[in-house]
Amino acid sequence: MNAFDSDGIRIAFRDEGEGAPVLLIHGFASNHAVNWANTGWIDTLKRGGYRVIAIDNRGHGQSGKLYDAASYSAQEMAEDARRLLDHLNIRRAHVMGYSMGARIAAFLAISHPERVASAVFAGLGINMVRGLGDEERIAAALEAQSVNDVADSSSRGFRVFAEQTGSDLRALAACIRGSRERISAEALADIRCPVLVAVGTTDNIAGSGPELATLIPGAEALEITNRDHMKAVGDPIYKKGVLEFLARQVEDAHRQ
């Protein structure tokens, strides 16, 4: 892993391959390895002829850990991603985020449209706008003395996943409290880069992918058949759809 200073915070990242750059932004309680390496995404994109940059979001993986919720706005994490592109002297990149990473990618596309060649919002559908409303339950589950003290099954799942990924539970509790700001339909309507929304058809956390796509001009929807929030990440339908989407964007760029 490489690392750089993002306005005083250590941000770790992986940079491999050659070709058009693709920035990968993982989901909550995950890290670049779990979300993108272990699922085969990094190798898949490299074989497809892309340069792959995979970030560990603040509070996750090998990046710096912070314990104040105010340090974890999705907007500020989007600035970490932008600073990483600056650090690597990358003017524009294709950006793919999963779950929380999709929210971060959307903020990046809205705040810095000149830096985003195209975007894939995966693992997060219409709940990007509506919100989930379970932040405090998840935070409480992460702060519990033991996973056995967590009664709510959904929150318990987040705690189990966080322990499996070796995460800093206190940092994640701060993150979940600070990173779930909603994005308005009006802001999404201002996105002008090509967008693919990829969500599992049984993903109750994300909400409807096609419904989100209708709010973004020209966006495409990819439904990952019979996959929930966890199982959609490495699905072949998801990979095939993204590779086809990226190939179209690269071809269009060459024509211009």
Side-chain angles (χ1 to χ4, degrees), residues 231-251:
K231 292 182 179 178
V233 184
D235 189 87
I237 293 174
Y238 175 26
K239 290 177 181 172
K240 181 175 182 289
V242 168
L243 287 174
E244 291 174 350
F245 172 76
L246 290 174
R248 290 197 300 274
Q249 310 320 313
V250 171
E251 184 177 349

Side-chain angles (χ1 to χ4, degrees), residues 111-124:
S111 300
H112 301 284
E114 74 284 357
R115 309 304 295 272
V116 181
S118 71
V120 178
F121 302 152
L124 188 60

Side-chain angles (χ1 to χ4, degrees), residues 71-100:
S71 299
Y72 286 103
S73 73
Q75 179 67 68
E76 189 56 39
M77 287 195 276
E79 291 303 314
D80 289 335
R82 189 267 304 167
R83 293 182 193 116
L84 175 55
L85 295 179
D86 289 347
H87 175 73
L88 296 173
N89 295 313
I90 295 173
R91 186 179 63 86
R92 285 181 97 216
H94 304 282
V95 181
M96 177 162 65
Y98 196 88
S99 194
M100 179 184 75

Side-chain angles (χ1 to χ4, degrees), residues 1 3 6 16-17 47 63 76 101 108 120 128 151 154 161 167 170 194 214 222 233 237 255:
M1 290 290 284
S6 178
E16 298 180 8
R47 285 195 301 269
S63 290
E76 189 56 39
L108 182 62
V120 178
M128 182 183 288
S154 176
F161 182 62
S167 298
R170 191 159 66 95
T214 63
L222 172 66
V233 184
I237 293 174
R255 287 175 181 160

Side-chain angles (χ1 to χ4, degrees), residues 1-200:
M1 290 290 284
N2 301 302
F4 79 108
D5 184 287
S6 178
D7 196 27
I9 299 167
R10 181 184 190 273
I11 297 295
F13 66 95
R14 185 168 169 176
D15 181 7
E16 298 180 8
E18 297 179 356
V22 179
L23 174 62
L24 303 177
I25 307 177
H26 65 76
F28 176 73
S30 189
N31 54 56
H32 88 279
V34 171
N35 212 143
W36 306 119
N38 296 353
T39 55
W41 266 110
I42 291 178
D43 287 341
T44 295
L45 289 168
K46 284 166 59 180
R47 285 195 301 269
Y50 297 98
R51 176 183 177 183
V52 183
I53 302 101
I55 191 172
D56 271 354
N57 291 314
R58 56 175 63 194
H60 296 73
Q62 297 181 40
S63 290
K65 308 301 187 293
L66 306 162
Y67 303 104
D68 178 3
S71 299
Y72 286 103
S73 73
Q75 179 67 68
E76 189 56 39
M77 287 195 276
E79 291 303 314
D80 289 335
R82 189 267 304 167
R83 293 182 193 116
L84 175 55
L85 295 179
D86 289 347
H87 175 73
L88 296 173
N89 295 313
I90 295 173
R91 186 179 63 86
R92 285 181 97 216
H94 304 282
V95 181
M96 177 162 65
Y98 196 88
S99 194
M100 179 184 75
R103 191 183 305 277
I104 295 168
F107 273 107
L108 182 62
I110 293 165
S111 300
H112 301 284
E114 74 284 357
R115 309 304 295 272
V116 181
S118 71
V120 178
F121 302 152
L124 188 60
I126 194 60
N127 287 343
M128 182 183 288
V129 176
R130 293 177 179 164
L132 298 177
D134 57 355
E135 293 86 354
E136 195 52 45
R137 286 202 311 274
I138 296 171
L142 293 165
E143 292 171 333
Q145 283 290 103
S146 165
V147 67
N148 296 324
D149 298 327
V150 182
D152 177 67
S153 60
S154 176
S155 301
R156 183 187 177 97
F158 279 97
R159 171 63 180 257
V160 169
F161 182 62
E163 290 185 354
Q164 288 173 344
T165 57
S167 298
D168 183 319
L169 300 180
R170 191 159 66 95
L172 290 187
C175 180
I176 196 68
R177 289 186 171 113
S179 65
R180 290 288 189 94
E181 61 260 56
R182 302 177 187 183
I183 300 178
S184 70
E186 292 76 16
L188 290 172
D190 286 337
I191 294 177
R192 290 296 178 264
C193 69
V195 172
L196 176 69
V197 179
V199 175

